[in-house]
Structures are given as C-alpha cells and as structure tokens.
Amino acid sequence: MKFDTYIPCDQLKPFVKSFVVQETTEQSTYKVLPDTGLVIGFQYKGKLSRLQNETETPLSISGISGLADHSRIFKNSPDIGTVLVFFKEAGATAFFRQPLHELFRESVSLDNFMLRSELLCLEEKLAEARTDTQRINFVEHFLICRMTNTEPDKLVLAALALIHSSKGNLRIKELTEQLHISQSPLEKRFRQAVGASPKKFASIVRLKNIIQQYDTVNSLTELGYEAGFYDQAHFIKEFKTFTGDTPENFFSGPK
C-alpha cells in the first residue's frame, strides 16, 4: 500500500494541511476516525464505497467528506488510486460558498458544488497523469482556480485556538465568555466555517486527544478523568461512538 504525503504550495498552505496519494492493489474494508478538517478525494482509478447500517453506497469519483462525530467505514475495489486533500480547520471556506455544517456526517459528490464539466476535465487529467507529482499539480491548480478572497473569520480562529488549548474540555459558556460574544452568533459563524458546532468540534478534539495521550497514563479510568469524564459509562459510550470500539478493545487491538 502506498500513502505518500505532499506539502501544498505556498498559495494553498494557509488552507490545506496536506495532499496524499494513496494506492493499494487489494480490496479492503477500513475504518476512518473523525478528524477536525474536511477531506476531498479524487479516485483516478478504482472505486470506493461507504458501508453504513449493512448498506454499501458507491461514492463518486470526486467527493468531499464533512466532519463527523463517529467513525466511518469505507470499502475500496482492487487496484485503487486516490488523491486526498486534507484541509486545515476552517480552510475549506476559501473554496466553498456553502455553509460547511451542511456536510456534517456526509460524504457527497463534488457535483453538488460545481459544474460537472469542471470536474470531468480534472478527472480525465488525473487518470491520464503519469506521475504523482503531476496529479498533485493538477489538483493544486484546480483548487487555486476556485479560491475566493474571503478573509478568515478571526473570531472562529480564536475559538479554535481556545478549544485546542483546553484539549476539547471546554464548555460553550466558557468559550463565549472568553470571546465576549453570545452563543447564537458564535455557533452560526463557527458552524459555517468549520463544519460542526463548537460543542461537536470540541468533542472531536477531546476524543482525539484521549487517543493520543493513551501511552502517558496508567489506566483507562485515569484517561477518562483527565479528559473531564467523571462518569465512566459516559466516557465509554462517547468513545465507542467515536471509534466504533470500547476503549479496552480499541487500545488492545491494532491501530
């Protein structure tokens, strides 16, 4: 399996965290844990499906996945190749005018956001490209052509910084008090730019930090307490929703 990461060009660095070219020759089913940024995928060969409630749904050649608060299961065909675009938090607003919270928990075709002719041109170039560098260049050009002059929302950026500094263990009331704004306008601006409410986003950050900190604590109980979970049943329930496994099973199995 190939999973090669590429740094975006200077023009895209404020918005895109990384590009990845992923290839595998074997059919497989795999789990994707929630993350804090939206992702675009371009299949230049092979096909990808999403598995949900025992239903397999084929995905478009070019698609975007919004934020989610639970793990998602995907299935790829043999001999698949994909270019992935991992956006920074609130970075996708430079390329999409639609409120990003409408994509929460969804994986949809990019046809919903642009002309099919635009996508078809890019898809043909990606399929015909001889090198991964060419594919990355094509995707970068595609994104640069879609960029707007929208300035980042400084209030949203400040909210993101506070949520991360608290490792997601921050109540919305505390967030609004520190930002000197009422809850309703903050939630509206945050959801549109980030793709989830501040509460949901903080939960994602909180659970991601729990997973990252596992090796630094002595027990799962301590791990839950350090993350602000004083009810073990609540901790286990949220963790299972996030990963699809109980904490015991998740940390004892392969990552």
Side-chain angles (χ1 to χ4, degrees):
M1 177 178 176
K2 178 169 75 174
F3 193 89
D4 294 342
T5 302
Y6 294 82
I7 298 171
C9 64
D10 289 342
Q11 198 170 351
L12 292 175
K13 279 181 181 176
F15 316 104
V16 177
K17 182 166 56 176
S18 65
F19 296 101
V20 167
V21 177
Q22 182 177 5
E23 289 187 1
T24 182
T25 58
E26 302 294 329
Q27 177 177 295
S28 62
T29 300
Y30 58 93
K31 179 189 298 182
V32 175
L33 298 183
D35 208 342
T36 55
L38 279 73
V39 181
I40 286 178
F42 299 99
Q43 269 75 56
Y44 55 87
K45 60 178 180 177
K47 296 184 180 299
L48 186 68
S49 300
R50 183 176 176 185
L51 303 181
Q52 192 173 19
N53 299 324
E54 299 183 358
T55 300
E56 181 174 339
T57 305
L59 298 180
S60 300
I61 293 175
S62 304
I64 182 168
S65 291
L67 269 61
D69 54 358
H70 58 78
S71 60
R72 291 180 274 201
I73 308 295
F74 295 94
K75 179 182 178 181
N76 65 262
S77 69
D79 194 28
I80 190 172
T82 309
V83 177
L84 296 166
V85 183
F86 291 94
F87 288 104
K88 292 185 176 180
E89 294 156 6
T93 53
F95 310 94
F96 298 94
R97 295 179 181 177
Q98 294 83 353
L100 295 181
H101 66 270
E102 294 178 359
L103 290 171
F104 188 68
R105 296 179 179 166
E106 299 293 334
S107 294
V108 302
S109 172
L110 283 179
D111 286 356
N112 293 290
F113 306 98
M114 60 198 71
L115 294 174
R116 179 62 201 154
S117 56
E118 289 182 78
L119 278 178
L120 185 60
C121 181
L122 175 62
E123 289 168 359
E124 289 176 349
K125 289 179 179 179
L126 292 176
E128 295 170 359
R130 294 181 177 273
T131 67
D132 291 343
T133 300
Q134 285 182 329
R135 294 188 178 98
I136 297 300
N137 289 339
F138 287 143
V139 172
E140 286 191 322
H141 178 73
F142 172 79
L143 290 174
I144 289 170
C145 289
R146 289 191 55 81
M147 282 179 62
T148 66
N149 294 320
T150 305
E151 287 291 321
D153 190 327
K154 293 181 179 178
L155 177 75
V156 171
L157 295 181
L160 287 168
L162 288 170
I163 291 171
H164 278 292
S165 66
S166 70
K167 298 181 179 180
N169 191 13
L170 180 69
R171 296 183 182 276
I172 301 306
K173 183 179 180 181
E174 297 175 88
L175 186 62
T176 56
E177 288 175 351
Q178 293 188 56
L179 294 173
H180 307 290
I181 189 172
S182 59
Q183 182 172 336
S184 181
L186 171 62
E187 288 198 340
K188 182 179 180 180
R189 289 162 65 174
F190 193 97
R191 289 168 70 234
Q192 289 179 340
V194 177
S197 69
K199 182 177 180 180
K200 282 292 185 184
F201 184 84
S203 176
I204 295 170
V205 171
R206 190 184 194 187
L207 271 297
K208 278 175 61 69
N209 272 279
I210 286 174
I211 293 170
Q212 293 166 359
Q213 292 178 351
Y214 173 68
D215 291 334
T216 67
V217 298
N218 295 322
S219 69
L220 291 175
T221 300
E222 182 183 344
L223 190 67
Y225 283 150
E226 287 195 1
F229 288 99
Y230 300 107
D231 181 334
Q232 279 297 103
H234 184 211
F235 167 49
I236 292 170
K237 181 180 178 181
E238 286 210 14
F239 191 94
K240 188 172 182 180
T241 298
F242 190 83
T243 65
D245 286 307
T246 63
E248 291 84 356
N249 289 341
F250 180 85
F251 290 117
S252 63
K255 308 301 187 296

